[in-house]
């Protein structure tokens, strides 16, 4: 029984491989391959962006009459995902990259430009050093200085990292928390001061408005005429109640500060020299002014109501005898 998976095939004794017919295929024939977009591009027809890594079913062919160091160059055909326009690009073995051919534009890539610039500078430097030995020495001196500076910077960074390795993060957090609390407290105090200032300003403004309104009201109010007493107002007054006079007050008099009989006694006015000035008349006894007893002359110090009462009683005795 033969094996299911045959590794060796049977060749008959009269097998001649030269008699096998060969297929004549064109050299520019195309193959369908599955690939991803090698770079970001934008379609020229519709403006659709095609990003790097998007998969396509592409057609592959070999570029005729283009070889780099014996390596063939391949061309790929893809279609835009929006308008189905054909886009072509090919390999670039010299730069290990791809070049855009037709149907789209490659987006800007700063990294690629930087690499190209570094390569150009390096190539120019090698060309200069090839024919100028002094330039080689200068470049070596510059490189040594640059290396020393890099080492110094690296040492500084190491020292800085060592110093920061001993930092107490708990203390830093605690200090930060305290500073945050102080800042909040300060902000709260500022808010309170501002609120108090606003309240005080509002109170002053209210007082000013009240005073202005009072002044306006006083200015706008008409002046009231002064009230004149009516001539008949005395008739409307209630009569005053008379105090009952006791029997002993009728004969002796009251003990007030101004006795009732003081108006009946007149004392002669005398100067310091004992002369009476001419042209003066002594007021008559019992003179009445407007229905009231006239005020007597000022009494001499030392006289009292009892002494005047005694004089009055003597005068009555003398008048009775006559």
């Amino acid at each position: 029984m033969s094996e299911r998976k045959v590794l060796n095939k049977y060749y008959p004794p009269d097998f001649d491989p030269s008699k096998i017919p060969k297929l004549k295929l064109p050299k520019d024939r195309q193959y369908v391959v599955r690939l991803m977009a090698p770079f970001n591009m934008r379609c020229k027809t519709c403006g659709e962006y095609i990003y790097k890594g998007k998969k396509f079913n592409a057609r592959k062919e070999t570029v005729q009459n283009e070889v780099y160091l014996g390596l063939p160059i391949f061309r790929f055909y893809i279609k835009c995902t929006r308008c189905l326009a054909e886009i072509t690009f090919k390999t670039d073995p010299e730069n290990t990259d791809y070049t855009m051919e037709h149907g789209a534009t490659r987006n800007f890539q700063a990294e690629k430009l930087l690499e190209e610039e570094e390569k150009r500078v390096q190539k120019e430097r090698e060309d200069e050093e090839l024919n100028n030995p002094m330039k080689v020495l200068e470049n070596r001196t510059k490189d040594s200085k640059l290396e020393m500076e890099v080492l110094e910077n690296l040492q500084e960074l190491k020292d800085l990292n060592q110093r920061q390795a001993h930092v107490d993060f708990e203390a830093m957090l605690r200090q930060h928390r305290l500073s945050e609390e102080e800042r909040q407290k300060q902000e709260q105090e500022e808010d309170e001061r501002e609120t108090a200032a606003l309240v005080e300003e509002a109170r002053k403004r209210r007082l000013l408005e009240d005073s202005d309104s009072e002044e306006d009201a006083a200015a706008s109010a008409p002046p009231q005429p002064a009230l004149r007493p009516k001539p008949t107002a005395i008739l409307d007054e209630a009569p005053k109640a008379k105090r009952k006079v006791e029997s002993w007050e009728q004969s002796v008099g009251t003990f007030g500060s101004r006795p009732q009989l003081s108006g009946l006694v007149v004392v002669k006015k005398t100067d310091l020299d004992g002369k009476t000035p001419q042209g003066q008349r002594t007021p008559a006894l019992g003179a009445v002014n407007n229905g009231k007893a006239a005020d007597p002359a000022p009494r001499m110090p030392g006289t009292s109501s009892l002494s005047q009462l005694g004089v009055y009683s003597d005068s009555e005795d003398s008048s009775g005898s006559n």
Side-chain angles (χ1 to χ4, degrees):
M1 186 174 181
S2 62
E3 295 180 0
R4 185 171 63 85
K5 291 182 178 181
V6 180
L7 298 178
N8 298 323
K9 294 183 179 180
Y10 173 73
Y11 293 98
D14 56 349
F15 176 73
D16 187 4
S18 60
K19 295 180 180 181
I20 298 175
K22 294 183 180 179
L23 296 176
K24 293 182 180 180
L25 299 176
K27 293 183 180 180
D28 57 347
R29 66 182 182 276
Q30 296 180 352
Y31 302 93
V32 178
V33 294
R34 183 76 171 175
L35 58 79
M36 291 187 295
F39 47 78
N40 299 330
M41 63 186 80
R42 184 181 183 184
C43 179
K44 290 182 178 180
T45 305
C46 64
E48 177 71 13
Y49 285 97
I50 300 174
Y51 297 98
K52 179 180 179 181
K54 190 172 182 61
K55 293 182 179 181
F56 292 94
N57 292 325
R59 291 180 288 113
K60 171 188 172 183
E61 71 177 7
T62 305
V63 180
Q64 300 297 322
N65 303 324
E66 288 189 19
V67 178
Y68 176 75
L69 300 178
L71 298 175
I73 297 176
F74 301 100
R75 182 181 288 114
F76 300 93
Y77 298 87
I78 62 174
K79 292 184 179 181
C80 176
T81 57
R82 183 176 181 182
C83 64
L84 301 179
E86 191 174 59
I87 301 172
T88 62
F89 55 90
K90 61 182 180 179
T91 58
D92 185 9
E94 182 178 0
N95 299 318
T96 62
D97 199 2
Y98 293 83
T99 57
M100 197 71 209
E101 269 193 334
H102 175 73
T105 56
R106 184 170 182 174
N107 291 354
F108 176 76
Q109 291 183 350
E111 185 178 357
K112 181 181 178 182
L113 295 179
L114 181 60
E115 292 177 356
E116 292 178 355
E117 185 67 19
E118 289 179 355
K119 290 180 180 179
R120 186 182 61 80
V121 172
Q122 185 68 19
K123 188 175 181 180
E124 290 179 357
R125 180 177 178 180
E126 291 177 356
D127 293 341
E128 289 179 357
E129 292 178 354
L130 184 61
N131 300 323
N132 191 354
M134 293 299 296
K135 193 69 176 179
V136 176
L137 183 60
E138 290 178 1
N139 292 337
R140 288 179 182 177
T141 306
K142 290 181 181 179
D143 293 341
S144 61
K145 289 182 179 180
L146 181 61
E147 185 177 1
M148 290 177 64
E149 290 178 0
V150 171
L151 292 175
E152 290 178 358
N153 294 335
L154 182 61
Q155 187 64 30
E156 289 179 0
L157 292 175
K158 288 182 179 180
D159 296 341
L160 183 61
N161 292 335
Q162 290 178 358
R163 288 198 298 270
Q164 291 180 353
H166 300 288
V167 175
D168 188 4
F169 294 102
E170 295 295 335
M172 290 178 60
L173 293 174
R174 195 180 305 108
Q175 184 177 2
H176 176 70
R177 195 180 301 109
L178 292 175
S179 62
E180 188 70 17
E181 292 178 357
E182 292 178 358
R183 186 180 62 81
Q184 293 179 358
K185 185 177 180 181
Q186 186 176 2
E187 291 180 355
Q188 186 177 2
E189 291 178 356
E190 291 179 358
D191 294 340
E192 291 178 356
R193 286 197 297 269
E194 292 179 358
T195 305
L198 292 175
V199 171
E200 184 66 20
E201 184 178 357
R203 188 178 66 82
K204 291 181 179 179
R205 191 184 300 109
R206 186 169 61 254
L207 291 175
L208 291 175
E209 291 177 356
D210 295 342
S211 62
D212 295 340
S213 61
E214 290 178 359
E215 293 178 358
D216 296 340
S220 60
Q224 297 180 357
L227 297 176
R228 295 181 179 179
K230 296 181 179 180
T232 60
I234 190 171
L235 300 176
D236 297 335
E237 294 179 357
K240 296 182 180 179
K242 295 184 179 181
R243 190 173 61 87
K244 184 180 180 180
V245 182
E246 300 294 339
S247 57
W248 61 272
E249 288 183 356
Q250 294 179 359
S251 59
V252 177
T254 59
F255 292 98
S257 59
R258 187 173 183 179
Q260 296 179 355
L261 302 178
S262 61
L264 302 176
V265 180
V266 179
V267 182
K268 293 182 179 181
K269 297 181 180 180
T270 57
D271 295 337
L272 297 175
D273 298 336
K275 297 179 180 181
T276 302
Q278 296 179 2
Q280 292 183 355
R281 297 178 60 183
T282 304
L285 183 65
V288 179
N289 186 13
N290 295 330
K292 295 182 180 181
D295 292 338
R299 295 177 294 171
M300 296 298 292
T303 62
S304 62
S305 59
L306 296 178
S307 61
Q308 292 177 3
L309 182 60
V311 173
Y312 178 69
S313 61
D314 295 339
S315 64
E316 285 182 350
D317 295 339
S318 60
S319 61
S321 60
N322 292 330

